[in-house]
Amino acid sequence: MSETLLDVQGLRVRFGGGTEAVRGVSLAVDRGETHCLVGESGCGKSVSALAVMTLLARGATRSAERMAFAGTDLLGLDERGMAKLRGNRMAMIFQEPMTSLNPAYTVGSQMAEVMRRHRGASRRAALDRAAALLGRVGITAPGMRLAQYPHQLSGGLRQRVMIAMALMCDPELLIADEPTTALDVTVQAQILRLLLELQRELGLAILLITHDLGIVARMAHRVSVMYAGQVVESAPAADLFAAPTHPYTRGLLDCVPAPGKVARGAQLGSIPGTVPRIPLGFTGCAFRDRCAQAMPECSGDIPAQTRIPGHRYLCRLPAGWPRDAAA
């Protein structure tokens, strides 16, 4: 039986002006598992991850029914206690490595600081560890790279540096926020293959944030689909792709062109409209204005339903609704 490493229940994040960016998100990541958090831009994926790491912008407020990491209550930790975990047992790869790395310091000094701070290592030992990890993530001449500044590296190299930095203290959980954004297709494949190899070797648990369903199909053991600050469907990856139930999940999958099945010149799938801003006190399904199956009852409370054990979705439609409609 798998051991749950990260357990988040009922997470909410509010910003000033009455905006609720995350509304009751619940998810769990087991040891050695890749859990993908997927959805359109603006759905609250990155904010959820930043809330777990206690890295929200000033003015944001966070609350949850439960937020635990390896049995430690994260809600009860002060900043000092959280700082001992962050970068040590829990690490994060941020979306844009050029802005995440400090342009005023060399790669080596930034990587070494992580190990010196958390493990009390000497500068020499920390630099040796950094060089070894740069080589492990596929960077040639790692000793030379340690003396370089971020602007001297390509986007792919900077992303590899971020991965190596996150691994400096052998974390148990790695949160990767769109780690292949803005990289060309070849480099994307290399980065994803690297994450899979590292997971197998180190037993990492990975919370992978993405909007790319191709990445989800390749990487995920479990998937949580987010929309307007809520997890609207959560299931094992194979089951989600085989039997998507929430209309939003179906819409996302319909937007992915299937090789050999989409005729040349045919119109690609799309979801009309945009993700709405959710005011405080909002009730009902946030997807109802974009949903072809919406009904008047969708403006009221939406029940959480189970299709099979482990596959939950937030919708009034029954689990077999496309077949039910056909019947």
Side-chain angles (χ1 to χ4, degrees):
M1 185 174 178
S2 299
E3 178 189 352
T4 299
L5 184 64
L6 177 68
D7 183 17
V8 177
Q9 300 295 324
L11 174 64
R12 293 182 177 273
V13 178
R14 294 179 180 178
F15 292 99
T19 300
E20 193 166 33
V22 177
R23 304 183 296 135
V25 163
S26 297
L27 59 87
V29 185
D30 292 345
R31 289 188 184 274
E33 175 187 63
T34 297
H35 190 133
C36 280
L37 201 55
V38 65
E40 293 172 88
S41 295
C43 284
K45 306 184 301 296
S46 296
V47 173
S48 298
L50 292 172
V52 170
M53 297 292 284
T54 318
L55 291 173
L56 290 168
R58 187 173 300 172
T61 58
R62 177 193 73 174
S63 64
E65 297 166 13
R66 174 177 170 80
M67 189 182 297
F69 170 75
T72 299
D73 179 16
L74 299 181
L75 297 173
L77 287 181
D78 58 13
E79 178 53 34
R80 185 183 182 89
M82 192 65 205
K84 290 181 179 179
L85 285 179
R86 193 170 50 226
N88 185 16
R89 298 177 64 195
M90 304 168 59
M92 187 166 179
I93 305 170
F94 295 94
Q95 190 171 122
E96 177 44 65
M98 190 60 201
T99 56
S100 302
L101 293 168
N102 192 321
Y105 293 90
T106 63
V107 167
S109 64
Q110 293 182 66
M111 293 185 68
E113 181 184 3
V114 178
M115 195 167 178
R116 297 187 72 184
R117 175 185 176 88
H118 290 293
R119 301 297 172 86
S122 66
R123 183 174 182 276
R124 183 68 264 162
L127 288 174
D128 287 344
R129 167 76 170 165
L133 282 173
L134 289 183
R136 179 64 194 84
V137 299
I139 295 180
T140 57
M144 178 188 73
R145 300 297 186 185
L146 290 176
Q148 292 184 322
Y149 290 86
H151 73 271
Q152 295 176 288
L153 306 177
S154 67
L157 286 177
R158 287 195 295 267
Q159 194 62 277
R160 290 171 189 268
V161 167
M162 288 295 298
I163 294 172
M165 187 182 300
L167 297 175
M168 284 291 289
C169 293
D170 291 323
E172 298 163 61
L173 173 68
L174 183 64
I175 299 177
D177 187 1
E178 308 248 16
T180 59
T181 296
L183 300 178
D184 64 59
V185 176
T186 302
V187 178
Q188 281 187 24
Q190 293 172 351
I191 295 296
L192 293 175
R193 186 163 55 249
L194 171 62
L195 288 175
L196 284 172
E197 291 173 357
L198 291 170
Q199 183 179 54
R200 283 194 293 266
E201 290 180 15
L202 306 175
L204 281 172
I206 300 177
L207 178 60
L208 178 62
I209 298 168
T210 183
H211 59 266
D212 188 330
L213 289 171
I215 292 175
V216 174
R218 178 177 176 182
M219 299 282 292
H221 296 100
R222 185 167 188 85
V223 186
S224 291
V225 180
M226 281 194 73
Y227 183 79
Q230 290 182 309
V231 172
V232 296
E233 187 163 4
S234 180
D239 189 56
L240 186 95
F241 282 95
T245 302
H246 194 280
Y248 178 63
T249 308
R250 289 181 170 273
L252 287 179
L253 290 171
D254 287 343
C255 291
V256 181
K261 295 183 179 180
V262 178
R264 184 182 295 274
Q267 186 173 355
L268 297 177
S270 64
I271 303 175
T274 57
V275 180
R277 288 182 56 133
I278 303 299
L280 297 178
F282 179 88
T283 59
C285 174
F287 189 60
R288 63 181 184 262
D289 292 336
R290 305 174 70 186
C291 180
Q293 284 75 37
M295 57 188 85
E297 292 86 348
C298 294
S299 60
D301 291 337
I302 306 300
Q305 301 196 63
T306 301
R307 197 188 74 83
I308 59 171
H311 187 156
R312 294 174 59 82
Y313 67 100
L314 199 63
C315 185
R316 287 185 170 273
L317 293 167
W321 63 265
R323 297 184 296 278
D324 293 345

